[in-house]
């Protein structure tokens, strides 16, 4: 009989290790479980009144300044420098949204950069001043962080309580060098994603500039730039969209169910937010390969031009070419270049949008030339979007491997 006293089994928290680990730390043992209160401290935000606001002074960082993990200064508010209660932000502070009308924005965060103007943060924000900011920032991108934020919010409250926030628990390496190695690896990916995102913005700006050059400005009847072979073709033709496009009521041509189902490999268009420019011979709502389609999304503008088949899952109005001497790709770009009233519902196609004035080249070949030029850019933009999406998925996968949750046991 063995009279030796058996050791109690290790709890999940005592046995937490990541699935993926850098070789030099393979023998460093299990990770520790720490509360945020042991990793840094919170810095409260400023409550200010309208009389404190001025054109220049102390920058107040708000939720709108946090975009995709970065601090952006497109929407700035300043208060007088001597306002009472302002805690100045420091480089490497982590700015966090803790209260907002939109629940999905609670918890979003970004690191304060070194080159930021003198700044504080509003009362709906908080700053976490971490001992190792680059590592803790990556903790704040994990599923563990997201799940704890969601659990804290409950069903109706759109805010995080600071006393609860610093009790959030995370598994972390005991070795500071391992923490830094993880932070450096993921930060390098963040830098690459930011660079590729900037490249995407430049491509979009380039297309915007081309649209302004290739289409006549308001009050003009010819564009600023014209391809050489069409320079002597004279003024563009004045017309309206309804003379170029026709429409079909959707009900007989679309599937009856509007329930969302994400099992389809082809794009699914959700109910109430879509317009289709194109046409189909299929009664099941499947658009054919040889018929180009333009998708209208969110009632703002045409967002995509596609040639592949996809299934329609909403009551969408289908709009088709009325005359053969029009180019559907050119009309897509024309619609992109129109100024829509966002407040106007785009279902008013017949009464409002079909009556919009447009200009078009008389020669269909010029329409095609413009369409081909802009389509090439569209393809580059889509490829860049896919590249960024791939990098984000790669980082997400890495983080799932590199950051264990507290209830994950070592294998």
């Amino acid at each position: 009989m063995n009279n030796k006293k058996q050791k109690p089994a290790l709890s999940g928290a005592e046995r937490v290790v990541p699935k993926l680990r850098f070789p030099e730390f393979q023998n460093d043992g299990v990770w520790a479980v720490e509360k945020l209160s042991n990793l840094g401290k919170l810095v409260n935000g400023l409550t200010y009144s309208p009389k404190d606001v001025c054109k220049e002074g102390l920058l107040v960082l708000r939720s709108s300044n946090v975009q995709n993990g970065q601090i952006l200064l497109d929407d700035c508010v300043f208060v007088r420098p001597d306002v009472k209660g302002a805690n100045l932000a420091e480089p490497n502070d982590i700015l966090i949204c803790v209260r907002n009308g939109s629940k999905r924005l609670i918890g979003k965060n970004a690191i304060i950069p070194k080159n930021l103007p003198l700044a504080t943060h509003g009362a709906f924000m908080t700053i976490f001043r971490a001992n190792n900011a680059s590592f803790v920032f990556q903790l704040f991108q994990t599923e563990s962080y997201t799940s704890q934020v969601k659990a804290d919010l409950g069903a109706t409250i759109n805010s995080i309580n600071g006393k609860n926030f610093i009790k959030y628990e995370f598994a972390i390496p005991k070795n500071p060098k391992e923490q830094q190695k993880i932070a450096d690896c993921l930060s390098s990916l963040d830098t690459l994603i930011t660079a590729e995102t900037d490249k995407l913005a430049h491509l979009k700006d380039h297309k915007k500039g081309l649209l302004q050059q290739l289409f006549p400005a308001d009050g003009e009847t010819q564009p600023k730039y014209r391809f050489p072979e069409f320079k002597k073709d004279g003024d563009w033709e004045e017309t309206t969209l309804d003379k170029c496009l026709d429409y079909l009521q959707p009900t007989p041509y679309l599937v009856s169910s509007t329930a969302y189902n994400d099992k389809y490999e082809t794009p699914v268009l959700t109910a109430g937010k879509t317009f289709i420019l194109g046409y189909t011979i299929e009664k099941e709502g499947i658009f054919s390969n040889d018929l180009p389609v333009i998708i209208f999304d969110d009632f703002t503008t045409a967002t995509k031009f596609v040639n592949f088949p996809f299934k329609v899952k909403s009551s969408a109005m289908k709009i088709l070419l009325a005359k053969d001497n029009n180019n559907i790709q050119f009309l897509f770009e024309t619609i992109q270049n129109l100024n829509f009233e966002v407040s106007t519902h785009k279902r008013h196609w017949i009464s409002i949008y079909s009556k919009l004035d447009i200009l078009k080249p008389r020669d269909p070949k010029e329409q095609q030339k413009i369409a081909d030029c802009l389509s090439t850019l569209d393809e580059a933009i889509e490829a860049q979007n896919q590249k960024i999406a791939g990098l984000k998925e790669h980082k997400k996968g890495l983080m799932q491997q590199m950051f264990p949750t507290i209830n994950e046991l070592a294998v």
Side-chain angles (χ1 to χ4, degrees), residues 30 60 67 76 96 112 163-164 226 229 241 280 289 356:
V30 297
V60 182
Q67 301 290 338
C76 292
I96 308 163
I112 303 291
K163 292 181 180 179
N164 292 339
R226 206 159 188 181
E229 61 268 42
L241 281 177
T280 178
N289 268 325
L356 288 176

Side-chain angles (χ1 to χ4, degrees), residues 272-275 299-300 341-353:
K273 289 189 175 182
T274 308
F275 270 69
F299 305 130
T300 54
E341 292 292 336
V342 177
S343 60
T344 304
H345 201 291
K346 216 176 222 124
R347 287 196 184 279
H348 299 156
W349 168 263
I350 303 170
S351 61
I352 298 177
Y353 290 101

Side-chain angles (χ1 to χ4, degrees), residues 214-265:
L214 292 173
F215 285 81
D218 289 343
E220 301 291 329
T221 56
Q222 294 188 34
K224 292 180 181 178
Y225 176 81
R226 206 159 188 181
F227 294 102
E229 61 268 42
F230 306 110
K231 282 188 175 180
K232 296 181 180 179
D233 280 13
D235 293 343
W236 282 22
E237 176 186 356
E238 295 183 25
T239 185
T240 54
L241 281 177
D242 63 347
K243 293 180 181 176
C244 305
L245 301 167
D246 203 348
Y247 70 94
L248 291 173
Q249 293 294 343
T251 307
Y253 302 94
L254 302 180
V255 292
S256 58
S257 172
T258 57
Y260 180 78
N261 189 327
D262 61 1
K263 72 180 181 180
Y264 295 101
E265 294 180 1

Side-chain angles (χ1 to χ4, degrees), residues 45-108:
L46 170 69
T47 299
Y48 58 95
S49 65
K51 67 180 181 180
D52 296 320
V53 177
C54 51
K55 291 184 178 180
E56 295 181 352
L58 182 63
L59 174 64
V60 182
L61 295 170
R62 300 166 299 133
S63 174
S64 60
N65 299 120
V66 180
Q67 301 290 338
N68 298 317
Q70 292 184 294
I71 301 293
L72 298 183
L73 302 182
D74 298 331
D75 178 24
C76 292
V77 167
F78 298 90
V79 295
R80 52 190 179 85
D82 61 342
V83 66
K84 292 183 179 180
N87 292 308
L88 297 183
E90 298 178 4
N92 295 319
D93 282 347
I94 304 174
L95 180 68
I96 308 163
C97 176
V98 292
R99 187 177 178 187
N100 197 279
S102 174
K103 188 176 289 189
R104 67 181 179 82
L105 300 180
I106 306 299
K108 74 172 183 174

Side-chain angles (χ1 to χ4, degrees), residues 249-257 279-288 291 310-312 318:
Q249 293 294 343
T251 307
Y253 302 94
L254 302 180
V255 292
S256 58
S257 172
Y279 55 102
T280 178
I281 57 174
E282 304 288 345
K283 292 187 177 180
E284 293 300 317
I286 307 287
F287 282 76
S288 300
L291 300 174
F310 62 89
K311 195 172 186 68
V312 176
K318 295 184 295 183

